[in-house]
Amino acid sequence: MKKISHLFTFLLLYFLFHSCIKKEETEPLNQNEIIPIQVTQHSGKTFSTGNKLSKASVYPGGGVMIQAFYWDVPSGGTWWDTVAEKIPSWQQAGIESIWLPPATKGQNGAYSMGYDPTDYFDFGNYNQNGSVETRFGSKTELVTLITTAHNYGIQVFADIVLNHNSGGQSEYNYFTQSNTWTDFSQIASGKFKRSQYDFHPNDLHSNDSGSFGGFPDLCHDKTYVQDWLWNRSDGVGKYYRDVMKFDGWRFDYVKGFEPWVVKEWNSHIGGFSVGEYWDSNVNTLEWWANSANSSVFDFACYYKMHDAFDGNNLSLLKDDMMWKRNPFKAVTFVSNHDTNIIYNKMLAYAYILTHEGYPTIFYRDYEEWLDKNKMNNLIWIHNYKATGTTTILYADNDEYIARRNGYNGNPGLIVYLNNSNNWLERWVPTNWYSTQIKDFTGNSNWYPTTQSGGWVKIQAPPKSYTIWSVNQ
Ligand code: ZN
Ligand code: ZN
Ligand code: ZN
């Protein structure tokens, strides 16, 4: 009898002790450190590529773009084939669009990366500037690539260089009183021939907002130039859209001309549009995007990520960026063919693939430099969980937590970035109540259940990240 009562007392004490411990553990201890910042205000609708020619994303979180080239990809006319072979695996991974380099013949012919355009209608099908094929291949190979992409539901965006031309013949120029390389009357396609009257300075004016590297600077005010770029049914824009079947446009060096040029192109041609306005000033990016009726690359986000991740100051992620001003007109990226300064790349990809805007993945990051399984996991999370507006929950030097608030029944997510050398954990307020959640990256094996008020404790490993959502 005595033994039994001792056992009873022991069990009672054991139970009381442990329920005490448990109560302490489930109390959100650092609640007062959390001051949520609502970053975006909108209905929460999915990112959309916008206008009449664009296809809405099939994913609740919107699409992911891949930049399907880098500077000096192998020459020899094999690149279109290389990209075409990647299409099935990219579609499998959840990529919805590809951005190709300028596809027509440049001054450097078979060695050109395409940013020195001579003939807008020579897709590697005319013997010109020393070769028939472009660096990337033949017109037939390009058409096969685009057809393959479409068969897999992937959109194809063309790189459009409108600021300057290169590879013309020398002519005496009445406006400069000297010889200039502005005679494009001999181009092989015979379409959109140009002369000194189509470049700056000319009889209309002396310059536009910028020129590039001394190349002849195209004048878009000329009716003749406008006709060939977007008015004529056999002009550049409509040929790219209707014959080549491009779905959208990445406009090169848009600092070099006024935003109405892209606006005019978009109103006549349609399709997805993004401009390379290389500037970290958010006001300028927003001004350009609104004036051009186009998305713009989020260089503000790019430079903030560099300072935040490489400078171990994640609080900078609270600063202004284009995607915060207008997520539907921001294309986010971690590196591209011109610039590659972010060292802490996986944190940066975890950031852009969980936040708003249209994220772009750089070919070499995906295919060569980073862990493809981790990238595919982030793309999956983006496509299926990155929904709704954004709330920043916490940020300090080495720690950043944000919440996507979900949309239309999709639960959204909470992303936890840890740039310290230790495991970190923190209580956070969720939109989920008495609900089991899990980390969809597999970096944490916790399966915590949120409290009735929505609070839950999450963790993240050193120099890594976790991304939490409802366990379903
Ligand atoms: Zn002009
Ligand atoms: Zn210009
Ligand atoms: Zn750096």
Side-chain angles (χ1 to χ4, degrees):
M1 243 351 194
K2 210 170 181 192
K3 260 194 175 142
I4 291 170
S5 87
H6 268 290
L7 182 63
F8 184 74
T9 311
F10 173 76
L11 280 174
L12 189 71
L13 284 170
Y14 181 87
F15 209 72
L16 280 171
F17 180 71
H18 273 261
S19 62
C20 258
I21 294 282
K22 199 158 185 282
K23 190 165 188 290
E24 220 170 28
E25 273 184 355
T26 52
E27 202 69 45
L29 291 173
N30 52 0
Q31 270 192 65
N32 49 1
E33 293 176 33
I34 301 284
I35 303 158
I37 304 165
Q38 186 63 31
V39 178
T40 51
Q41 309 278 351
H42 53 81
S43 73
K45 70 176 191 265
T46 305
F47 171 81
S48 156
T49 51
N51 57 44
K52 52 192 175 187
L53 198 86
S54 301
K55 204 164 64 97
S57 174
V58 302
Y59 300 109
V64 171
M65 188 195 309
I66 190 164
Q67 179 182 358
F69 66 100
Y70 51 92
W71 198 256
D72 282 351
V73 297
S75 57
T78 57
W79 190 250
W80 297 146
D81 291 340
T82 300
V83 172
E85 284 161 20
K86 302 284 185 190
I87 296 284
S89 65
W90 289 352
Q91 190 269 340
Q92 191 72 28
I95 288 165
E96 274 198 319
S97 60
I98 63 177
W99 155 26
L100 299 180
T104 53
K105 192 71 58 69
Q107 178 175 8
N108 281 323
Y111 302 98
S112 169
M113 282 299 295
Y115 294 97
D116 52 351
T118 301
D119 186 339
Y120 287 100
F121 295 90
D122 179 359
F123 292 88
N125 50 317
Y126 292 99
N127 191 351
Q128 180 168 223
N129 295 354
S131 76
V132 175
E133 293 200 356
T134 67
R135 182 187 193 99
F136 315 115
S138 68
K139 182 179 185 181
T140 306
E141 287 160 345
L142 174 59
V143 168
T144 300
L145 159 57
I146 295 170
T147 306
T148 305
H150 288 164
N151 289 342
Y152 281 86
I154 291 178
Q155 292 193 290
V156 183
F157 302 152
D159 202 313
I160 306 290
V161 184
L162 295 181
N163 178 63
H164 52 270
N165 292 160
S166 186
Q169 304 299 306
S170 180
E171 63 178 349
Y172 182 76
N173 190 314
Y174 302 107
F175 309 106
T176 63
Q177 302 278 305
S178 62
N179 270 56
T180 56
W181 302 94
T182 45
D183 175 9
F184 291 79
S185 63
Q186 307 300 316
I187 51 170
S189 73
K191 292 168 67 173
F192 193 17
K193 295 176 178 178
R194 285 140 281 158
S195 74
Q196 58 186 278
Y197 291 93
D198 306 309
F199 299 96
H200 300 115
N202 58 33
D203 48 335
L204 264 184
H205 38 63
S206 59
N207 62 279
D208 60 9
S209 61
S211 58
F212 185 83
F215 291 129
D217 192 60
L218 199 58
C219 178
H220 314 89
D221 289 274
K222 289 282 183 154
T223 307
Y224 174 80
V225 173
Q226 294 177 11
D227 281 348
W228 272 108
L229 289 182
W230 54 72
N231 282 324
R232 292 173 64 127
S233 59
D234 60 344
V236 178
K238 289 174 186 169
Y239 189 90
Y240 279 43
R241 182 190 70 188
D242 299 336
V243 179
M244 300 307 291
K245 308 288 186 192
F246 280 110
D247 305 287
W249 329 104
R250 176 270 185 193
F251 291 98
D252 180 61
Y253 196 65
V254 297
K255 267 191 178 179
F257 47 94
E258 286 74 20
W260 64 261
V261 174
V262 167
K263 187 180 185 183
E264 281 293 301
W265 174 294
N266 286 337
S267 74
H268 286 85
I269 313 298
F272 176 74
S273 164
V274 58
E276 181 213 22
Y277 201 101
W278 196 330
D279 202 301
S280 62
N281 185 310
V282 190
N283 291 326
T284 309
L285 295 176
E286 189 183 27
W287 159 80
W288 187 85
N290 287 336
S291 307
N293 189 27
S294 171
S295 294
V296 67
F297 283 110
D298 196 344
F299 276 95
C301 173
Y302 175 71
Y303 287 111
K304 281 297 169 194
M305 288 196 296
H306 178 240
D307 294 346
F309 295 126
D310 292 351
N312 197 37
N313 187 1
L314 303 197
S315 293
L316 292 174
L317 298 175
K318 291 194 285 191
D319 287 359
D320 205 3
M321 302 178 190
M322 180 59 197
W323 73 258
K324 301 183 182 187
R325 298 281 186 98
N326 187 346
F328 305 103
K329 281 195 171 137
V331 175
T332 51
F333 64 100
V334 171
S335 55
N336 66 30
H337 61 297
D338 287 325
T339 176
N340 183 32
I341 59 170
I342 296 176
Y343 172 76
N344 218 333
K345 273 191 180 168
M346 284 312 298
L347 286 184
Y349 275 112
Y351 180 82
I352 69 165
L353 286 163
T354 51
H355 285 66
E356 295 179 64
Y358 193 168
T360 308
I361 288 168
F362 181 49
Y363 182 92
R364 299 200 96 163
D365 285 337
Y366 184 75
E367 289 291 338
E368 300 173 13
W369 291 338
L370 301 176
D371 182 330
K372 195 182 276 189
N373 290 327
K374 287 182 181 171
M375 292 296 286
N376 285 345
N377 169 252
L378 288 173
I379 295 168
W380 186 92
I381 288 168
H382 172 269
N383 290 2
Y384 289 99
K385 303 292 176 191
T387 59
T389 58
T390 303
T391 309
I392 296 175
L393 299 178
Y394 185 83
D396 65 20
N397 280 352
D398 50 18
E399 197 177 348
Y400 172 87
I401 306 174
R403 188 176 71 202
R404 294 296 300 278
N405 292 303
Y407 177 65
N408 202 21
N410 186 286
L413 58 78
I414 290 180
V415 55
Y416 194 162
L417 306 179
N418 178 359
N419 197 37
S420 81
N421 295 310
N422 310 297
W423 278 87
L424 294 175
E425 54 185 54
R426 193 168 288 278
W427 283 93
V428 291
T430 73
N431 299 319
W432 313 308
Y433 308 98
S434 307
T435 303
Q436 190 185 56
I437 64 170
K438 71 170 186 179
D439 165 33
F440 280 79
T441 70
N443 291 332
S444 164
N445 56 14
W446 282 6
Y447 284 78
T449 296
T450 63
Q451 295 182 334
S452 57
W455 286 82
V456 71
K457 189 159 78 174
I458 55 175
Q459 62 170 186
K463 298 286 177 192
S464 187
Y465 54 89
T466 50
I467 302 166
W468 305 81
S469 189
V470 173
N471 184 20
Q472 58 185 17

